[in-house]
């Protein structure tokens, strides 16, 4: 059967709401791609098909339907969330062995959540990510959404936190209602803005009420969404929040081996003669975050293109690395001066 005929059948079955015909045609398309040895594409299509509708027969909630029901603040002017189609795959992210194992087990449980629930078991669904900026927390949330074939819902902390008494808790309730109706990966970045330690005398009563409300919402949440929270200031979090998460991952700057793996991943789409096996070369990146190294690679690629060089060479990357180091030192000095 031709691709044109398969695509026509796919769209027709979708427009008619015939789920069985839609899934049957989708599987035929996947098999065609496998026969062409397009294994990455076939795997992605299988992932999307798996998430198209769950095995309980629940009605499909499309991304367009979600977009129409985005929760807003009390004025109705500011969106409380942003819905993103994730694009980061597991192969694009480098982890320590321990973090990789936790995330892989987490993904397996989520992909088998119907099976676990049929045995009265609840899959792990709540992750707390801690560590310095640029160490991979946000990318990990997107990677999870991508691997599970789910939309990534980014909570807009600036819209959620309100100066009006009681409004922040009300905004949080709207978000929990939304992720209760839609299976997504909900990402609370800068989580400490919502969940600071209540015993801190410097915090006012309203923020303490927000923490109480968040705890109650977490305890009462029965939906199937994945909740991921991230913070650069884990020491500021209220102690009662820690046990609300199934797993807590600590991120650090990459080790020597992780630097080498990351450079290899980021450079694979560019012509280069970078000596990745040279420890001397790799050691110059110690102390840089994952985000720093990614920025160095892409800045090197741009400089190479604009200079009309054939490939990224060591000298170009070392020049960019030195410039990035000076930028980091400047930022540190400015932060230090601001705290004095």
């Amino acid at each position: 059967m031709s691709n044109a005929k398969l695509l026509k059948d796919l769209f027709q079955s979708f427009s008619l709401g015939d789920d069985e015909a839609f899934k049957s045609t989708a599987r035929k398309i996947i098999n065609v791609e496998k026969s062409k040895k397009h294994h990455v594409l076939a795997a992605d299509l299988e992932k999307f098909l798996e998430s198209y509708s769950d095995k309980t027969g629940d009605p499909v909630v499309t991304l367009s339907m979600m977009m129409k029901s985005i929760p807003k603040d009390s004025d109705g002017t500011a969106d409380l969330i942003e819905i993103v189609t994730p694009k980061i795959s597991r192969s694009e992210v480098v982890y320590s062995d321990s973090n990789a194992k936790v995330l892989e087990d987490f993904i397996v449980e989520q992909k088998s959540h119907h099976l676990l629930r049929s045995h009265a078991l609840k899959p792990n669904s709540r992750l707390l990510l801690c560590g310095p900026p640029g160490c991979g927390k946000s990318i990990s949330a997107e990677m999870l959404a991508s691997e599970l074939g789910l939309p990534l819902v980014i909570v807009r902390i600036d819209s959620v936190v309100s100066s009006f008494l009681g409004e922040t808790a009300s905004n949080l309730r709207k978000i929990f209602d939304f992720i209760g109706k839609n299976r997504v990966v909900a990402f609370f970045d800068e989580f400490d803005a919502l969940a600071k330690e209540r015993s801190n005398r410097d915090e006012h009563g309203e923020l303490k009420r927000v923490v109480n409300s968040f705890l109650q919402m977490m305890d009462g949440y029965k939906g199937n969404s994945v909740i991921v929270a991230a913070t650069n200031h884990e020491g500021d979090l209220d102690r009662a929040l820690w046990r609300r998460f199934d797993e807590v991952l600590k991120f650090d700057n990459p080790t020597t081996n992780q630097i080498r793996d990351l450079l290899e991943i980021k450079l694979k789409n560019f012509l280069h003669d970078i000596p990745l096996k040279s420890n001397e070369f790799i050691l110059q990146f110690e102390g840089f975050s994952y985000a720093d190294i990614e920025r160095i690679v892409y800045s090197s690629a741009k400089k190479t293109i604009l200079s009309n060089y054939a490939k990224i060479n060591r000298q170009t990357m070392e020049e960019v690395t030195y410039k990035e180091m000076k930028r980091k030192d400047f930022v540190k000095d400015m932060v230090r001066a601001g705290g004095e």
Side-chain angles (χ1 to χ4, degrees):
M1 187 179 297
S2 69
N3 280 346
K5 178 64 166 62
L6 286 173
L7 287 172
K8 180 180 178 181
D9 290 346
L10 185 74
F11 277 83
Q12 183 178 38
S13 60
F14 181 83
S15 65
L16 294 174
D18 188 342
D19 282 359
E20 288 305 314
F22 178 87
K23 287 184 279 189
S24 175
T25 306
R27 290 191 186 96
K28 291 176 183 177
I29 293 174
I30 291 170
N31 289 334
V32 169
E33 296 305 322
K34 285 181 177 178
S35 69
K36 295 179 179 178
K37 300 188 183 304
H38 298 165
H39 299 301
V40 174
L41 174 59
D44 286 341
L45 293 175
E46 284 182 325
K47 182 171 61 180
F48 294 141
L49 181 59
E50 179 184 349
S51 64
Y52 168 72
S53 63
D54 62 37
K55 299 178 179 66
T56 62
D58 291 342
V60 176
V61 180
T62 65
L63 189 60
S64 60
M65 293 168 64
M66 286 189 196
M67 296 296 288
K68 294 177 182 177
S69 61
I70 287 180
K72 297 180 179 292
D73 64 4
S74 59
D75 294 332
T77 56
D79 293 344
L80 299 178
I81 62 171
E82 178 184 359
I83 303 178
V84 176
T85 300
K87 298 179 181 179
I88 301 292
S89 67
R90 172 65 185 87
S91 63
E92 297 176 79
V93 193
V94 176
Y95 293 109
S96 65
D97 290 343
S98 58
N99 282 355
K101 183 65 169 66
V102 169
L103 289 167
E104 286 162 10
D105 289 347
F106 189 94
I107 290 169
V108 168
E109 288 196 21
Q110 276 296 314
K111 286 185 173 181
S112 304
H113 71 104
H114 290 291
L115 175 61
L116 292 175
R117 292 181 192 279
S118 70
H119 290 272
L121 295 171
K122 184 179 178 182
N124 284 348
S125 61
R126 303 173 183 185
L127 274 176
L128 177 59
L129 312 179
C130 308
C135 63
K137 301 186 295 297
S138 299
I139 287 177
S140 295
E142 184 174 353
M143 182 277 293
L144 280 173
S146 178
E147 290 298 305
L148 296 174
L150 299 174
L152 176 65
V153 167
I154 302 174
V155 177
R156 298 184 59 178
I157 299 296
D158 57 334
S159 297
V160 171
V161 177
S162 172
S163 59
F164 296 103
L165 187 66
E167 200 63 45
T168 301
S170 174
N171 289 338
L172 281 171
R173 169 52 60 197
K174 293 175 184 177
I175 292 170
F176 272 87
D177 287 344
F178 179 87
I179 66 175
K181 296 174 183 175
N182 306 286
R183 178 164 156 76
V184 300
V185 172
F187 182 45
F188 291 80
D189 199 5
E190 300 180 0
F191 186 53
D192 46 283
L194 291 171
K196 286 189 177 179
E197 175 61 59
R198 287 169 293 177
S199 62
N200 188 336
R201 293 181 179 179
D202 294 332
E203 298 300 340
H204 53 77
E206 170 63 4
L207 186 55
K208 294 177 181 179
R209 284 190 288 272
V210 169
V211 176
N212 287 335
S213 297
F214 194 92
L215 289 170
Q216 292 170 5
M217 292 175 201
M218 287 283 278
D219 289 340
Y221 180 70
K222 305 299 181 186
N224 292 329
S225 289
V226 172
I227 297 175
V228 181
T231 179
N232 304 334
H233 307 286
E234 57 269 25
D236 292 343
L237 296 182
D238 191 274
R239 286 169 291 180
L241 280 160
W242 291 88
R243 65 181 180 85
R244 265 69 179 189
F245 290 91
D246 301 310
E247 298 285 358
V248 178
L249 273 66
K250 181 70 170 70
F251 289 77
D252 293 302
N253 287 334
T255 63
T256 301
N257 287 335
Q258 290 165 2
I259 291 170
R260 183 178 285 106
D261 291 343
L262 184 62
L263 284 171
E264 186 173 348
I265 289 171
K266 297 302 177 183
L267 283 166
K268 67 181 180 181
N269 294 323
F270 304 104
L271 291 175
H272 69 87
D273 56 10
I274 302 301
L276 295 176
K277 293 183 179 180
S278 166
N279 287 334
E280 178 191 0
F281 177 80
I282 297 298
L283 286 174
Q284 69 181 305
F285 297 96
E286 281 195 343
F288 284 111
S289 69
Y290 291 90
D292 294 333
I293 295 171
E294 181 179 60
R295 184 163 46 246
I296 288 170
V297 170
Y298 292 145
S299 294
S300 299
K302 288 187 287 186
K303 184 171 183 178
T304 298
I305 292 169
L306 295 174
S307 301
N308 202 28
Y309 297 152
K311 60 181 67 175
I312 302 174
N313 57 47
R314 178 170 182 166
Q315 180 180 346
T316 296
M317 183 165 281
E318 288 182 340
E319 288 174 358
V320 171
T321 302
Y322 177 76
K323 182 179 178 181
E324 178 66 18
M325 189 180 300
K326 298 295 289 184
R327 188 191 71 85
K328 282 173 63 67
D329 290 341
F330 175 75
V331 171
K332 285 181 182 178
D333 290 342
M334 293 300 294
V335 171
R336 192 180 299 114
E340 293 176 354

